[in-house]
Each structure stands twice: as structure tokens, then as C-alpha cells.
Amino acid sequence: MNITNQEHQEDLHHIKQMMERSSRFISLSGLSGIAAGSCALVGAYFAYDVISTSRGNILKTLDTTIYETSKTGNVSIESFMGNRLFVIAVVTFIASFLLSFLFTYLRSKKTNTPLWGSTSKRLFVNVMIPMIAGGIYLLKLIENEAYGLIAPGCLIFYGLALVNASKYTLGEVRYLGYCQIALGLINLWFVGFGLYFWAIGFGILHILYGMYMWNKYERE
Amino acid sequence: MNPIQHLNKVFDNRIRLGIMSALMVNDEINFNDLKELLQITDGNLASHIKGLEESGYIKVLKGFIGRKTNTTYTTTKVGEKAFKQHIEALEKMINSTK
């Protein structure tokens, strides 16, 4: 009797596992979260450097800018500072994307699931919908020079993307999403401290989440 | 009543159980995705699919992606009901022996 009981329990376990594996992308690695979070912190450090030095030089810059603007007509403080911040943002994004891709690729080898299968495609589409909508919205904010709202916007739309994604991957992603949304909303009342909120959300929360997930699913 | 009679003979196999589980949570799945999920050979999968089809638990949907044929599978109402009963019977038997 005990042997059949154990078999039934294994059957139920097998059913649950097959339901999970066929509908969710389970190879998202915790190490990807840690890597992306670390990149975000390094990026935030460089961005802080740019912002604080340009604040110090603001008068100097102002003089030369006025001079240059009068000469060429298209150089402003925003573009002087914005270009460097933009480069930092792009480099940070590419580095964190490549590193998280690498760890998830290694994880998919271990769990024996395809990296680009029907579950990961579904996950990708559902992440991209809020992200693209958010990205366009943020570009409009930049165009309208509402720079203080960019960091909260990043956090809120990214959080929404995670909540949306949680149905198609490991369910814990939902709680990371809630935290990002909350952080973004709080940031709306602390405009000017965007970089700190950004570093907490994309840096520290990612690292904490990654460590939790690695400990729960991947530690051997 | 003995719950053992509710255990379905058709599901007395891990592969058929796996196929049904996956189809229960997805609208439809194609042959290659099922193969990848269950990690079995073409012939093995085909024979189990045939078994489930003959029981009337799943049905075959033939479509096209461009010019290529794309065969997908989905559960029937009868199949869903039978599978749910099978799970309930499994749970009952585990609980009764605890």
C-alpha cells in the first residue's frame, strides 16, 4: 500500500512539474539578478560623478555654453551633461543585459529547457509591452525636459513589466515588481533624488532578489 | 466506494500524464515543444499521442506557418474531465492512506 501511495504522490508531483515547465520559463537565474544589480550600481556611481562635477562646473559651463551657443547655436548644458549620462545609461544597459543573458543561458543548459522556446517567447512579449510603452513615454518626458520624472517613470514601468511577467516565469518576480512600483511612486514626492531611488531599485533590489532566488532554487 | 476505480488506465503512464498536464495549462502545443518538454523520441511521443487521441482525450489541429505544416494538440472536454477525475482520485488515495 505504501509503495502505491508513493507512486501516486510522484504522479501528482510529475503533473505539477509538467504544468509548470510547459507554461513558465523557469531558467531565469538568480545570478542574472545579482549581475544586473551590480551593473546598475556601477552605472549609478558614474552618473553621480557626472552630475556632481557638472554641478560644480555649472558656472564655468554656463559661460562657455553661452559663448558656444551664441557661436554655434546648438550646445546647451543639457546636451553637455545629457550626452555623457546617455552613454553611461546605454553602457550600463548593455553590460547588465549581456551578463544576465549569460547566467540565464547557463541555467537553461542545466534545467534542459530551450532558451528561446515557446515559454521564453511568451515571457519576452509580456515584458516588452509595458517596457516599450514606458520607453516611449520617457522619451516624451525628456523632450519636455521633465527630467525629474524619468527615474520614477523607469521604476514604475519596469515594475509593471515584472508584475506582468510573473505569470510566465518564476512567480516571485511579482514581488520584485511591487517593490519597484512602490519605490517609483514614492520617488514622485522626492524629485531630484531620482538617482538614489534608481540605484536602490535597479541595483540593491535586483541584488537582494537575485540572492534570494539563487539560494532558493540554484544552490546545490 | 473504492477510489481506485476512478484511476484512469489511460493515464497509467508518465508520458501520457505529462502530455495531458501540459495541454491542461496551454491552449495548444505543437509536436516539437512537447518533445522538448518530455525529452523523448519522435516515435515514442507519436504513439502516446495516438493513444490519447483514440481515447478521445486530445484532438489534433492542423495548421500552417507559411508553407510549413504546423500540427498542434489540444485537450477535448472529455479529456479535461477525465484528467481532473484522475487527479482527484490520486489525491483521495493519498489522503486515505495517511
Side-chain angles (χ1 to χ4, degrees):
Chain A
M1 197 64 198
N2 267 334
I3 293 163
T4 53
N5 189 13
Q6 204 185 346
E7 270 173 21
H8 295 330
Q9 238 153 8
E10 277 167 17
D11 273 1
L12 280 178
H13 180 73
H14 182 66
I15 290 169
K16 210 181 144 202
Q17 201 186 23
M18 283 299 137
M19 285 180 167
E20 290 266 323
R21 279 177 73 108
S22 65
S23 61
R24 290 167 187 262
F25 182 67
I26 53 163
S27 306
L28 213 57
S29 171
L31 296 177
S32 293
I34 297 174
S38 308
C39 287
L41 285 182
V42 173
Y45 171 79
F46 281 111
Y48 179 80
D49 219 39
V50 170
I51 292 169
S52 57
T53 46
S54 55
R55 256 188 205 141
N57 293 340
I58 205 139
L59 286 177
K60 237 187 286 170
T61 322
L62 208 59
D63 283 346
T64 51
T65 316
I66 289 166
Y67 177 67
E68 277 171 29
T69 312
S70 60
K71 215 168 57 177
T72 62
N74 58 5
V75 182
S76 64
I77 306 172
E78 276 90 358
S79 68
F80 171 77
M81 210 172 96
N83 280 339
R84 287 177 66 182
L85 285 179
F86 188 72
V87 170
I88 291 169
V90 169
V91 171
T92 305
F93 177 78
I94 292 173
S96 60
F97 180 81
L98 287 179
L99 277 176
S100 38
F101 181 84
L102 173 73
F103 287 117
T104 292
Y105 171 75
L106 294 174
R107 180 95 185 113
S108 77
K109 288 271 154 224
K110 260 192 189 161
T111 58
N112 231 332
T113 48
L115 191 62
W116 192 236
S118 52
T119 53
S120 54
K121 277 180 205 162
R122 204 154 34 179
L123 173 64
F124 182 75
V125 168
N126 282 284
V127 167
M128 285 327 273
I129 292 168
M131 291 285 267
I132 289 175
I136 293 168
Y137 184 78
L138 292 174
L139 284 177
K140 269 288 169 200
L141 283 184
I142 294 174
E143 218 178 281
N144 288 288
E145 301 181 355
Y147 301 114
L149 296 177
I150 292 171
C154 285
L155 290 165
I156 291 168
F157 280 107
Y158 180 61
L160 290 173
L162 291 179
V163 171
N164 205 34
S166 66
K167 283 164 262 167
Y168 307 99
T169 182
L170 301 164
E172 288 86 345
V173 169
R174 173 176 293 268
Y175 302 104
L176 179 62
Y178 289 153
C179 293
Q180 304 282 11
I181 293 171
L183 207 58
L185 290 176
I186 295 167
N187 191 186
L188 289 174
W189 278 268
F190 295 93
V191 167
F193 295 92
L195 192 61
Y196 297 102
F197 280 88
W198 197 92
I200 294 169
F202 287 97
I204 292 166
L205 284 184
H206 269 153
I207 293 172
L208 290 177
Y209 165 83
M211 290 196 312
Y212 174 78
M213 294 303 271
W214 181 80
N215 189 38
K216 187 169 175 187
Y217 293 106
E218 292 159 69
R219 199 167 163 175
E220 278 151 16
Chain B
M1 201 168 60
N2 187 358
I4 215 161
Q5 57 193 275
H6 288 283
L7 282 183
N8 197 325
K9 277 264 154 54
V10 179
F11 301 132
D12 192 18
N13 172 292
R14 280 286 157 82
I15 292 168
R16 285 197 287 266
L17 214 54
I19 296 170
M20 279 307 284
S21 309
L23 291 179
M24 288 295 280
V25 289
N26 289 279
D27 292 340
E28 51 184 89
I29 307 183
N30 68 30
F31 191 87
N32 286 332
D33 283 347
L34 274 177
K35 203 176 82 173
E36 210 132 21
L37 180 74
L38 298 159
Q39 314 265 321
I40 53 173
T41 60
D42 282 22
N44 202 351
L45 178 59
S47 76
H48 285 296
I49 283 175
K50 207 172 163 219
L52 286 168
E53 208 189 329
E54 277 166 3
S55 314
Y57 290 171
I58 65 173
K59 63 180 175 225
V60 185
L61 307 168
K62 295 218 189 251
F64 285 90
I65 296 179
R67 282 188 190 170
K68 269 189 178 170
T69 53
N70 180 41
T71 309
T72 61
Y73 303 92
T74 184
T75 54
T76 61
K77 284 254 155 61
V78 180
E80 276 176 30
K81 204 177 157 200
F83 191 68
K84 276 179 191 159
Q85 270 174 353
H86 183 74
I87 293 178
E88 275 168 25
L90 282 175
E91 280 169 347
K92 262 187 201 150
M93 293 193 61
I94 290 166
N95 288 335
S96 66
T97 51
K98 253 178 195 169

